[in-house]
Amino acid sequence: MTPTLMAYGALGLAIVCEVTGSSLLALSQQFSKLLPTIGMGLFFVASLFFLSHALKVLPLGVAYAIWAGVGMILTALVGLVVFRQSLDVGAMVGIAMIVGGVIVMRVFSTAGGH
C-alpha cells in the first residue's frame, strides 16, 4: 500500500471520528451527560491523531480542507437523518458547493499528492 493511500485512509478515519465526536457533542446536552461527553472527547482526540498521520504525506491545506469539508457534509447528513433536523435551500446549495470544491481539489489539483 502506498504512503499516499495510507494517508488518505488516515484522513478518512479522522473524518469519521470527527463526525462521531460532533454527533456525541449534540447528545452530551452541553456536557451534562457523562458518557456522550467522554465519547466526544475520545473521538475528537482520535480524529486529531489520525489527521496528524495524514499530514505526514498530505499538505496541511489540502488535508484540512478535505477533513473540514467532508466532515461538514457528513455532519449535516447525520443531523438530517439521525436528529431529524431540516436543511433549507441555502444549506443544500452550500453543501453542494463544498462537494464541488472537494472534487475540484482532488481532480484538478496536484497539491494533494495524487
Side-chain angles (χ1 to χ4, degrees), residues 35-80:
L35 289 179
T37 300
I38 292 170
M40 175 214 58
L42 292 174
F43 275 100
F44 280 153
V45 167
S47 178
L48 294 175
F49 172 80
F50 289 120
L51 180 60
S52 73
H53 282 283
L55 293 176
K56 290 178 184 176
V57 175
L58 303 174
L60 174 63
V62 172
Y64 189 79
I66 294 171
W67 180 71
V70 175
M72 280 188 276
I73 294 163
L74 292 178
T75 301
L77 290 174
V78 167
L80 186 70

Side-chain angles (χ1 to χ4, degrees), residues 17-41 43-44 74-85:
C17 288
E18 190 269 332
V19 171
T20 304
S22 296
S23 301
L24 289 170
L25 176 61
L27 293 174
S28 76
Q29 298 179 3
Q30 294 76 41
F31 307 116
S32 66
K33 303 286 184 182
L34 182 61
L35 289 179
T37 300
I38 292 170
M40 175 214 58
F43 275 100
F44 280 153
L74 292 178
T75 301
L77 290 174
V78 167
L80 186 70
V81 174
V82 175
F83 297 110
R84 304 281 188 237
Q85 299 168 342

